[in-house]
Amino acid sequence: MLSPDDVMEMSPNLSGRVLHLSRGGTSVVIDLDAVPHPAIVHWGEELAGSTDETLRGLAVAARPQRVSGGLDAPARATLVATPAGGWLGTPGLEGHRDGASFSVRLELVDVEADGHRARLSLVDPEARLSAQLELDVGTAGLLRQRITLRNDGDSRYTLQHLHLAFPVPWDATELLDTTGRHLRERTPQRHPFGYGTYLRESRRGRPGADATLLLAAGRPGFGFERGRVHAVHVAWSGNHRLVAERSVSGEAFLAGGELFAPGEVVLAPGESLTSPEVIGSWGDGLNELAHRFHDEWRSRPEHPRRPRPVTLNTWEAVYFDHTLDRLTALADAAASVGVERFVLDDGWFLGRRDDTAGLGDWYVDPTVWPEGLHPLVDHVRARGMEFGLWVEPEMVNPDSDLARRHPDWVLRGRTTLPPSARQQQVLDLAHPDAYAYVAERLHSLVAEYPIAYLKWDHNRDLLDAGSGPEGIARVREHTLALYRLLDELKAAHPDLEIESCASGGARVDLGILARTDRIWTSDNLDPLERLVNQRYTALVVPPEMMGMHLTSPVVHSTGRTVDLDLSAAVALLGHVGIEWDLTGTDDETRRRIAAWVDYAKRVRPIVATGRTVDVDGTEPGIDVRGVVARDRSSAVFTLTQTDTTVSYPPGRVRVPGLDPGTQYRIRVVGGSTHAAAQSGLPWQEHDIRLTGRELDVVGLRPPVQYPQRSTVIELVAQSDTQAQGGAR
Ligand code: GLA
C-alpha cells in the first residue's frame, strides 16, 4: 500500500500499487495498476485489519480471467471506462471534435493522496484531453467523486456524456429508486438488478417530482434496519442521469452525472468542465446509509444550527387573497399558538392576483399594499415572529412587464416559446442583464424589509430551454447562475435562510441543499401520504431540513379529513410548521395546536442532531419510526395506525436503535384510544422499564387505535442503568 509520501512520488512507475482511502467506517480500495487506468476494487465496509500485502492481494483477486469469445486482455469497469480501454458497457465519457476524435483512453500519470482523499491525474495525449478525478471519503463515510475534464487540443471538444462510477458488490441484486409526480414525490420502487442497464434520467431542468433521489443496489430484501445496500446521489439541480449496470463480465456498478443537451458543453481549447459531485453512501440497511448523509451534511459549517423556527406559511390559508386585515389576523392566530416564523406566500407582487400574471415583476403591488409590506412585517415582528417571503426568481409570466420589456430574457430553444406550464416561462438567468435585474430585486427586497427567510419556488419544468437566436441549450448555465445567485445572496445577507421549493418537492438534491436551509418536501400535506414521502426523502436529506407542516382538517390535495393529532405526529420529526387558516379555529383547537407546537419545540434538538430510525417488518396498517438522541439517552417514536390491522389487538412492534444495555422508561405523549379498547394499555398503566435490547428484539404492544391515528411515545434512559449499558 502507498504511504502518502509514496503516492506523491510514485509517477511514472505504478507497478503493484494499491490505494486505500478510509474514514467514517468506509474503505475505498483502488487498484492503480488496472488498465488503462485505476479501478475501484472495494467501496463499502471499512477493511480493518487489512495489511498492505492483503490489499495488494485484494486487487489481484479482483482481476478477471481471460475467457473464450472475449478480449485478449479482459477489460474492467475502471473509473472512467471507455471502449478504447476495452470497456463494452456504458462509457464514462463520450465526446468528439466536430464529428472526429471520438476515441478516448485516459491513462494515469499522477496521484496525490492522503488517508481519505485522492486526486488522480489522467491524460490521453492522442485525444488531447486530461482529467483530474477527486475522491474523498468524508467524516461519516460518504464517498464523493468529482471530475474536471480539460480540452488540451486546439479545436473545440463537444462533451456528450460524463459520469462517475461506483462499483457495488456482485451480490447486490435488488435496486431501489424513487419516482413520483406533483403531490406524490419520492414514491419508492424496487426491481431486480439483472444484467444490462437500468437508467433513470431527469430532463426537466430541475430534478423533478418524478426524479429518483438516489439509486440504490443491495442484497435482496434489504430494508431500513438490515441488508447491505449501496446508493449514489447526484448533487446537482439541473438534468442528471443515474445508471445501474451489471455486465456479463462480472462487474456491477452505479454511476451518476449531469445529463447534457446536444451541444450544451463545448469546451474551447484550454477550457475545462468540473462535474457536480456524485456522492455514494452505503450501510447495513437504509437507516445507516441515510445516517452517513445526515451526519456529513450536518458537519458543514453553514448547516442551520439554531433551533428550527416553527413556521406558518400562508399559502393554503389565504392563497391569493391578500388583505392586510386577513393576514394580520392570521399572524395573531399564529403567534397565539407559538409560531416563530410567518411566511407570506405567493400573491404580494405587481399584478399577481392569481397564477396567470406577474411573475418577474418583483415589486410590492401598491394596489394591495399601499404602504408596502411594512404594516404586515411590523405586525408580525411585533408579535415576536420572523418574517419570510415567497419568491420565484427564475420564472416569468408572459403577462408581466418583465416579459413585455425583455422577451429575449425568456428561455427558448427556437423562435416560438416552449410549451407553457402554469401560464409561465423560465427566465434566462445566464443572461447577464436578466441576472442583474433579478439579483438587484432580491437584494433590494431583503435590504428594504427585515426578511429572515425566502421561500424560493420553481414551479415548472424546463422544456426546450435555450437562449439567444442560435438556440443554445441552457440548463447547465441556468443552474450555475442559480447557484451563483443563491451564493451571492447568502454572502450579502449571512442570516438569511432560504427554502428550496419547486411545486413542493421537485427540486430536492444536495446541490441546492448546499446553499439553502431546507426544502419544501411536498405540496401534499396529507399525513398518510407524507409518511411515505418523508421516509424516502430522509434517505438523503436530514430531517431538520425537511419542511413538515400541520394541515387543515380537510386536506386540500386529497380531500381526506384528518385528525390533528395524526397531522402533528407526522410533522413532529422534521422542521415543523403549519399550513392552515388558523383564524377559523376555535379555542380548543388552538389549545391543542399550541400544545403540539410546544412539544415540537422540546423535541427539535433531538430531531436536528439525532438518528432517524425506520422500523422494518411491522404489520401492514402500522408504521413505526422515530428519532434517537445521539447519546441514546432519549428517543421519540410515532406508532401510526395507517389502516386497520388483522391482529386485534395488534401484535407487538419493535423499537430499535436504542442502547441495548440501558433501561428506558416509556411515556405516551399524545394519542387516542379506539372505542373498542376495553381496557387500558398494560405497559402504560404499569411503570415499566425496558432495555434497548428488549425493545429492539422483543418490543411492545402498540395501542389499539382507529385507523389514521398516531401515538407518540417518548423513551428516556434511566441514568442509573446508562452507565452499565454503556455505548456499544
Ligand atoms: C407552489 C408551492 C406552494 C405555493 C405555490 C404558490 O405550488 O409548492 O407551496 O408556494 O407554489 O404559487
Side-chain angles (χ1 to χ4, degrees):
M1 194 177 72
L2 296 161
S3 73
D5 294 340
D6 285 336
V7 174
M8 308 289 230
E9 290 167 8
M10 58 184 282
S11 176
N13 175 14
L14 307 176
S15 172
R17 309 257 175 145
V18 171
L19 196 58
H20 183 197
L21 310 175
S22 114
R23 199 156 61 146
T26 296
S27 278
V28 177
V29 180
I30 303 170
D31 179 357
L32 296 172
D33 279 349
V35 177
H37 63 241
I40 296 177
V41 172
H42 165 76
W43 158 49
E45 192 164 335
E46 184 159 26
L47 299 178
S50 294
T51 63
D52 294 1
E53 195 184 339
T54 63
L55 289 173
R56 268 199 295 269
L58 199 64
V60 174
R63 292 189 185 155
Q65 259 180 294
R66 188 175 150 196
V67 290
S68 64
L71 300 178
D72 293 337
R76 309 276 301 277
T78 55
L79 285 163
V80 193
T82 51
W87 180 243
L88 290 154
T90 304
L93 166 61
E94 282 181 305
H96 58 89
R97 294 181 189 274
D98 198 17
S101 302
F102 77 100
S103 171
V104 182
R105 188 179 195 272
L106 291 163
E107 292 187 14
L108 182 68
V109 288
D110 194 21
V111 179
E112 290 171 48
D114 60 24
H116 60 90
R117 237 184 342 217
R119 181 195 293 263
L120 310 183
S121 301
L122 311 169
V123 295
D124 180 346
E126 200 175 327
R128 288 158 290 149
L129 293 173
S130 58
Q132 297 258 314
L133 191 61
E134 296 162 85
L135 297 102
D136 185 359
V137 180
T139 49
L142 288 184
L143 171 59
R144 297 165 175 228
Q145 290 198 58
R146 190 167 61 173
I147 187 167
T148 301
L149 183 76
R150 198 179 66 214
N151 175 10
D152 296 331
D154 50 15
S155 58
R156 303 194 325 156
Y157 187 78
T158 300
L159 183 61
Q160 277 182 211
H161 173 72
L162 185 61
H163 76 206
L164 293 162
F166 295 67
V168 293
W170 189 243
D171 64 4
T173 55
E174 182 172 337
L175 294 174
L176 167 75
D177 60 341
T178 66
T179 184
R181 58 164 168 85
H182 181 222
L183 304 170
R184 201 180 162 136
E185 305 89 335
R186 285 165 292 288
T187 302
Q189 51 180 3
R190 288 185 181 239
H191 318 264
F193 184 6
Y195 291 104
T197 305
Y198 178 71
L199 172 67
R200 290 298 313 273
E201 288 184 337
S202 156
R203 294 178 169 273
R204 295 168 183 256
R206 53 181 189 179
D210 67 330
T212 189
L213 184 62
L214 45 63
L215 185 52
R219 288 186 183 159
F222 66 86
F224 280 84
E225 294 181 65
R226 306 260 183 285
R228 193 172 63 190
V229 54
H230 290 68
V232 167
H233 166 84
V234 182
W236 180 245
S237 311
N239 293 332
H240 77 258
R241 176 184 264 177
L242 276 163
V243 168
E245 194 159 299
R246 179 178 300 276
S247 98
V248 288
S249 61
E251 293 187 77
F253 64 87
L254 301 170
E258 190 179 344
L259 187 154
F260 306 128
E264 189 166 34
V265 179
V266 181
L267 298 177
E271 201 183 351
S272 58
L273 166 134
T274 298
S275 75
E277 273 193 345
V278 186
I279 306 179
S281 184
W282 72 278
D284 182 13
L286 292 163
N287 286 335
E288 187 184 345
L289 180 149
H291 296 161
R292 294 191 195 286
F293 279 112
H294 300 174
D295 290 355
E296 218 152 302
W297 221 246
R298 286 170 175 169
S299 69
R300 299 168 309 133
E302 63 273 30
H303 192 73
R305 263 173 240 292
R306 69 187 174 100
R308 303 292 70 220
V310 175
T311 299
L312 181 130
N313 188 61
T314 63
W315 179 239
E316 290 200 359
V318 303
Y319 290 106
F320 289 105
D321 184 16
H322 284 200
T323 64
L324 182 59
D325 287 352
R326 191 161 176 198
L327 286 159
T328 51
L330 185 59
D332 291 342
S336 77
V337 298
V339 165
E340 298 161 308
R341 173 183 282 162
F342 183 91
V343 181
L344 182 66
D345 208 288
D346 196 357
W348 57 268
F349 45 95
L350 274 187
R352 189 68 166 176
R353 302 285 62 79
D354 56 34
D355 66 7
T356 63
L359 289 175
D361 297 341
W362 301 110
Y363 296 89
V364 177
D365 192 334
T367 62
V368 182
W369 301 98
E371 295 167 66
L373 295 175
H374 292 289
L376 178 64
V377 177
D378 294 346
H379 191 90
V380 163
R381 285 166 53 85
R383 271 143 198 78
M385 296 182 289
E386 295 177 0
F387 182 76
L389 191 65
W390 181 95
V391 288
E392 197 178 359
E394 300 149 81
M395 296 293 160
V396 57
N397 284 117
D399 184 1
S400 66
D401 291 344
L402 177 67
R404 281 184 285 271
R405 279 196 204 123
H406 302 286
D408 56 320
W409 290 4
V410 180
L411 282 176
R412 66 180 93 202
R414 53 201 299 113
T415 46
T416 48
L417 285 172
S420 164
R422 212 192 188 203
Q423 290 85 229
Q424 63 197 59
Q425 294 290 344
V426 187
L427 204 62
D428 182 1
L429 214 52
H431 188 301
D433 298 339
Y435 182 95
Y437 164 75
V438 172
E440 186 282 323
R441 281 291 77 226
L442 291 169
H443 285 288
S444 298
L445 282 163
V446 176
E448 181 179 358
Y449 296 100
I451 292 172
Y453 182 78
L454 287 177
K455 176 177 175 182
W456 187 297
D457 216 331
H458 181 284
N459 274 318
R460 65 156 294 169
D461 294 322
L462 272 61
L463 279 171
D464 208 32
S467 94
E470 308 92 352
I472 295 169
R474 265 299 215 216
V475 170
R476 175 179 172 76
E477 290 301 319
H478 181 87
T479 309
L480 291 172
L482 163 71
Y483 286 172
R484 183 154 52 93
L485 186 54
L486 288 165
D487 292 344
E488 286 173 4
L489 264 175
K490 283 277 201 170
H493 311 277
D495 294 331
L496 177 71
E497 290 199 8
I498 301 178
E499 171 177 60
S500 168
C501 174
S503 320
R507 185 154 68 187
V508 175
D509 62 82
L510 292 181
I512 203 84
L513 273 172
R515 26 187 69 83
T516 55
D517 302 279
R518 75 168 209 174
I519 48 142
W520 181 223
T521 315
S522 176
D523 274 350
N524 188 345
L525 286 150
D526 186 318
L528 291 183
E529 305 225 341
R530 274 292 191 123
L531 282 174
V532 179
N533 166 274
Q534 291 172 184
R535 169 172 280 161
Y536 286 90
T537 305
L539 285 178
V540 169
V541 183
E544 71 278 15
M545 300 188 94
M546 291 165 54
M548 302 190 189
H549 289 187
L550 268 69
T551 170
S552 50
V554 178
V555 180
H556 292 205
S557 57
T558 60
R560 191 181 271 141
T561 301
V562 297
D563 177 61
L564 166 60
D565 294 338
L566 172 73
S567 174
V570 171
L572 188 64
L573 304 180
H575 183 170
V576 175
I578 299 173
E579 195 95 7
W580 180 356
D581 184 2
L582 296 180
T583 59
T585 53
D586 59 23
D587 289 350
E588 171 57 10
T589 307
R590 283 217 206 162
R591 189 198 58 71
R592 288 173 65 203
I593 298 171
W596 274 115
V597 167
D598 196 45
Y599 186 61
K601 289 178 184 170
R602 284 212 288 126
V603 168
R604 65 188 167 189
I606 303 181
V607 173
T609 56
R611 287 252 152 95
T612 52
V613 178
D614 281 289
V615 183
D616 293 324
T618 54
E619 182 173 357
I622 298 186
D623 174 285
V624 181
R625 64 182 67 190
V627 58
V628 177
R630 280 305 281 240
D631 62 1
R632 294 193 276 189
S633 59
S634 65
V636 179
F637 275 78
T638 55
L639 314 177
T640 304
Q641 193 79 35
T642 54
D643 204 344
T644 58
T645 48
V646 177
S647 62
Y648 183 60
R652 280 178 290 187
V653 294
R654 295 179 307 100
V655 184
L658 295 149
D659 183 51
T662 297
Q663 295 179 12
Y664 294 86
R665 274 218 165 81
I666 310 153
R667 188 170 81 87
V668 174
V669 179
S672 56
T673 312
H674 195 298
Q678 314 250 313
S679 66
L681 192 57
W683 62 257
Q684 199 182 343
E685 290 176 350
H686 295 82
D687 181 26
I688 64 163
R689 294 168 165 214
L690 295 176
T691 65
R693 185 170 288 111
E694 288 162 346
L695 283 157
D696 178 7
V697 175
V698 188
L700 44 74
R701 289 272 192 176
V704 179
Q705 301 184 90
Y706 283 118
Q708 306 188 13
R709 298 294 163 98
S710 190
T711 294
V712 179
I713 61 171
E714 211 174 73
L715 300 105
V716 180
Q718 301 308 294
S719 48
D720 52 328
T721 69
Q722 224 175 341
Q724 303 161 22
R728 252 196 301 200

mmCIF file of all heavy atoms in Angstrom, residues 21 48 68 202 219 240 260 265-266 291 426 434 448 534 536 541 550 561 582 599:
data_model
loop_
_atom_site.group_PDB
_atom_site.id
_atom_site.type_symbol
_atom_site.label_atom_id
_atom_site.label_comp_id
_atom_site.label_asym_id
_atom_site.label_seq_id
_atom_site.Cartn_x
_atom_site.Cartn_y
_atom_site.Cartn_z
ATOM 1 N N LEU A 21 -8.224 4.372 0.796
ATOM 2 C CA LEU A 21 -8.769 5.576 1.428
ATOM 3 C C LEU A 21 -9.753 5.099 2.478
ATOM 4 O O LEU A 21 -10.559 4.209 2.202
ATOM 5 C CB LEU A 21 -9.497 6.446 0.411
ATOM 6 C CG LEU A 21 -8.741 6.772 -0.880
ATOM 7 C CD1 LEU A 21 -9.655 7.545 -1.828
ATOM 8 C CD2 LEU A 21 -7.488 7.580 -0.579
ATOM 9 N N ALA A 48 -10.903 -3.091 8.314
ATOM 10 C CA ALA A 48 -9.998 -3.061 9.461
ATOM 11 C C ALA A 48 -9.198 -4.358 9.448
ATOM 12 O O ALA A 48 -9.732 -5.421 9.149
ATOM 13 C CB ALA A 48 -10.815 -2.940 10.741
ATOM 14 N N SER A 68 -13.147 -17.381 -23.434
ATOM 15 C CA SER A 68 -13.417 -17.524 -24.872
ATOM 16 C C SER A 68 -14.374 -16.435 -25.342
ATOM 17 O O SER A 68 -15.266 -16.018 -24.604
ATOM 18 C CB SER A 68 -14.050 -18.892 -25.144
ATOM 19 O OG SER A 68 -15.303 -18.964 -24.506
ATOM 20 N N SER A 202 -33.233 12.577 -15.526
ATOM 21 C CA SER A 202 -34.030 13.729 -15.165
ATOM 22 C C SER A 202 -33.794 14.774 -16.245
ATOM 23 O O SER A 202 -32.671 15.230 -16.439
ATOM 24 C CB SER A 202 -33.557 14.204 -13.793
ATOM 25 O OG SER A 202 -33.849 15.535 -13.628
ATOM 26 N N ARG A 219 -28.429 -6.242 -1.239
ATOM 27 C CA ARG A 219 -28.771 -7.666 -1.171
ATOM 28 C C ARG A 219 -30.287 -7.785 -1.197
ATOM 29 O O ARG A 219 -30.980 -6.950 -0.624
ATOM 30 C CB ARG A 219 -28.219 -8.267 0.123
ATOM 31 C CG ARG A 219 -26.727 -8.403 0.090
ATOM 32 C CD ARG A 219 -26.212 -9.124 1.315
ATOM 33 N NE ARG A 219 -24.762 -9.158 1.260
ATOM 34 C CZ ARG A 219 -23.981 -9.340 2.309
ATOM 35 N NH1 ARG A 219 -24.498 -9.509 3.510
ATOM 36 N NH2 ARG A 219 -22.684 -9.363 2.155
ATOM 37 N N HIS A 240 -29.929 15.319 -14.808
ATOM 38 C CA HIS A 240 -28.931 14.339 -14.410
ATOM 39 C C HIS A 240 -29.331 12.941 -14.862
ATOM 40 O O HIS A 240 -30.451 12.712 -15.312
ATOM 41 C CB HIS A 240 -28.653 14.395 -12.903
ATOM 42 C CG HIS A 240 -29.705 13.744 -12.070
ATOM 43 N ND1 HIS A 240 -30.662 14.452 -11.393
ATOM 44 C CD2 HIS A 240 -29.944 12.450 -11.793
ATOM 45 C CE1 HIS A 240 -31.450 13.617 -10.745
ATOM 46 N NE2 HIS A 240 -31.040 12.386 -10.969
ATOM 47 N N PHE A 260 -26.300 16.139 -20.375
ATOM 48 C CA PHE A 260 -26.121 17.311 -21.242
ATOM 49 C C PHE A 260 -27.072 17.259 -22.435
ATOM 50 O O PHE A 260 -27.244 16.211 -23.054
ATOM 51 C CB PHE A 260 -24.696 17.369 -21.799
ATOM 52 C CG PHE A 260 -23.621 17.302 -20.746
ATOM 53 C CD1 PHE A 260 -22.593 16.372 -20.838
ATOM 54 C CD2 PHE A 260 -23.626 18.179 -19.665
ATOM 55 C CE1 PHE A 260 -21.590 16.308 -19.882
ATOM 56 C CE2 PHE A 260 -22.631 18.114 -18.704
ATOM 57 C CZ PHE A 260 -21.616 17.179 -18.809
ATOM 58 N N VAL A 265 -22.339 21.368 -23.866
ATOM 59 C CA VAL A 265 -20.970 21.575 -23.374
ATOM 60 C C VAL A 265 -20.005 21.430 -24.539
ATOM 61 O O VAL A 265 -19.782 20.338 -25.056
ATOM 62 C CB VAL A 265 -20.623 20.577 -22.255
ATOM 63 C CG1 VAL A 265 -19.192 20.806 -21.780
ATOM 64 C CG2 VAL A 265 -21.593 20.714 -21.091
ATOM 65 N N VAL A 266 -19.479 22.545 -24.958
ATOM 66 C CA VAL A 266 -18.439 22.552 -25.995
ATOM 67 C C VAL A 266 -17.241 23.253 -25.366
ATOM 68 O O VAL A 266 -17.306 24.450 -25.057
ATOM 69 C CB VAL A 266 -18.915 23.301 -27.258
ATOM 70 C CG1 VAL A 266 -17.818 23.271 -28.316
ATOM 71 C CG2 VAL A 266 -20.194 22.695 -27.800
ATOM 72 N N HIS A 291 -27.876 7.764 7.564
ATOM 73 C CA HIS A 291 -27.133 8.467 8.624
ATOM 74 C C HIS A 291 -25.836 9.068 8.094
ATOM 75 O O HIS A 291 -25.405 10.125 8.537
ATOM 76 C CB HIS A 291 -26.821 7.518 9.786
ATOM 77 C CG HIS A 291 -28.059 7.029 10.479
ATOM 78 N ND1 HIS A 291 -28.081 5.915 11.274
ATOM 79 C CD2 HIS A 291 -29.329 7.518 10.480
ATOM 80 C CE1 HIS A 291 -29.313 5.732 11.725
ATOM 81 N NE2 HIS A 291 -30.086 6.686 11.256
ATOM 82 N N VAL A 426 -39.610 30.387 -18.323
ATOM 83 C CA VAL A 426 -38.423 30.440 -17.467
ATOM 84 C C VAL A 426 -37.508 31.557 -17.943
ATOM 85 O O VAL A 426 -37.269 31.714 -19.145
ATOM 86 C CB VAL A 426 -37.666 29.096 -17.497
ATOM 87 C CG1 VAL A 426 -36.536 29.101 -16.469
ATOM 88 C CG2 VAL A 426 -38.626 27.947 -17.243
ATOM 89 N N ALA A 434 -30.544 39.827 -17.382
ATOM 90 C CA ALA A 434 -31.648 39.207 -16.632
ATOM 91 C C ALA A 434 -31.168 38.888 -15.215
ATOM 92 O O ALA A 434 -31.871 39.128 -14.223
ATOM 93 C CB ALA A 434 -32.112 37.940 -17.343
ATOM 94 N N GLU A 448 -34.699 46.211 2.074
ATOM 95 C CA GLU A 448 -35.778 47.116 2.476
ATOM 96 C C GLU A 448 -36.582 46.580 3.662
ATOM 97 O O GLU A 448 -36.969 47.327 4.556
ATOM 98 C CB GLU A 448 -36.725 47.371 1.291
ATOM 99 C CG GLU A 448 -37.852 48.331 1.675
ATOM 100 C CD GLU A 448 -38.810 48.640 0.543
ATOM 101 O OE1 GLU A 448 -38.610 48.141 -0.576
ATOM 102 O OE2 GLU A 448 -39.776 49.386 0.812
ATOM 103 N N GLN A 534 -41.869 11.445 3.268
ATOM 104 C CA GLN A 534 -40.848 11.886 4.225
ATOM 105 C C GLN A 534 -39.830 10.777 4.491
ATOM 106 O O GLN A 534 -38.635 11.049 4.625
ATOM 107 C CB GLN A 534 -41.512 12.341 5.529
ATOM 108 C CG GLN A 534 -42.297 13.630 5.328
ATOM 109 C CD GLN A 534 -43.144 14.072 6.502
ATOM 110 O OE1 GLN A 534 -43.857 15.047 6.405
ATOM 111 N NE2 GLN A 534 -43.098 13.356 7.607
ATOM 112 N N TYR A 536 -38.749 8.472 2.448
ATOM 113 C CA TYR A 536 -37.785 8.290 1.351
ATOM 114 C C TYR A 536 -36.992 9.564 1.072
ATOM 115 O O TYR A 536 -35.846 9.490 0.627
ATOM 116 C CB TYR A 536 -38.485 7.706 0.115
ATOM 117 C CG TYR A 536 -38.782 6.237 0.377
ATOM 118 C CD1 TYR A 536 -39.983 5.837 0.952
ATOM 119 C CD2 TYR A 536 -37.808 5.274 0.167
ATOM 120 C CE1 TYR A 536 -40.225 4.503 1.274
ATOM 121 C CE2 TYR A 536 -38.032 3.940 0.479
ATOM 122 C CZ TYR A 536 -39.243 3.563 1.029
ATOM 123 O OH TYR A 536 -39.448 2.244 1.360
ATOM 124 N N VAL A 541 -31.837 13.577 2.862
ATOM 125 C CA VAL A 541 -31.979 14.901 3.476
ATOM 126 C C VAL A 541 -32.139 14.772 5.000
ATOM 127 O O VAL A 541 -33.024 14.053 5.456
ATOM 128 C CB VAL A 541 -33.211 15.630 2.889
ATOM 129 C CG1 VAL A 541 -33.329 17.028 3.468
ATOM 130 C CG2 VAL A 541 -33.122 15.674 1.369
ATOM 131 N N LEU A 550 -48.365 21.014 9.759
ATOM 132 C CA LEU A 550 -49.705 20.562 10.145
ATOM 133 C C LEU A 550 -50.675 21.025 9.069
ATOM 134 O O LEU A 550 -50.617 22.171 8.627
ATOM 135 C CB LEU A 550 -50.139 21.226 11.458
ATOM 136 C CG LEU A 550 -49.850 20.532 12.769
ATOM 137 C CD1 LEU A 550 -48.363 20.535 13.052
ATOM 138 C CD2 LEU A 550 -50.593 21.232 13.897
ATOM 139 N N THR A 561 -60.306 13.900 5.383
ATOM 140 C CA THR A 561 -60.398 14.596 6.665
ATOM 141 C C THR A 561 -59.474 13.895 7.646
ATOM 142 O O THR A 561 -59.549 12.671 7.807
ATOM 143 C CB THR A 561 -61.851 14.556 7.192
ATOM 144 O OG1 THR A 561 -62.682 15.174 6.219
ATOM 145 C CG2 THR A 561 -61.974 15.296 8.516
ATOM 146 N N LEU A 582 -55.680 29.472 10.540
ATOM 147 C CA LEU A 582 -55.966 29.334 11.978
ATOM 148 C C LEU A 582 -57.030 30.315 12.455
ATOM 149 O O LEU A 582 -57.558 30.152 13.557
ATOM 150 C CB LEU A 582 -54.683 29.552 12.796
ATOM 151 C CG LEU A 582 -53.565 28.530 12.575
ATOM 152 C CD1 LEU A 582 -52.372 28.878 13.461
ATOM 153 C CD2 LEU A 582 -54.046 27.119 12.878
ATOM 154 N N TYR A 599 -44.627 21.043 22.223
ATOM 155 C CA TYR A 599 -43.917 19.762 22.276
ATOM 156 C C TYR A 599 -42.869 19.690 21.156
ATOM 157 O O TYR A 599 -41.742 19.228 21.378
ATOM 158 C CB TYR A 599 -44.909 18.596 22.175
ATOM 159 C CG TYR A 599 -44.208 17.268 22.367
ATOM 160 C CD1 TYR A 599 -43.536 16.981 23.559
ATOM 161 C CD2 TYR A 599 -44.175 16.326 21.349
ATOM 162 C CE1 TYR A 599 -42.853 15.783 23.721
ATOM 163 C CE2 TYR A 599 -43.499 15.122 21.510
ATOM 164 C CZ TYR A 599 -42.834 14.859 22.705
ATOM 165 O OH TYR A 599 -42.152 13.684 22.862
#
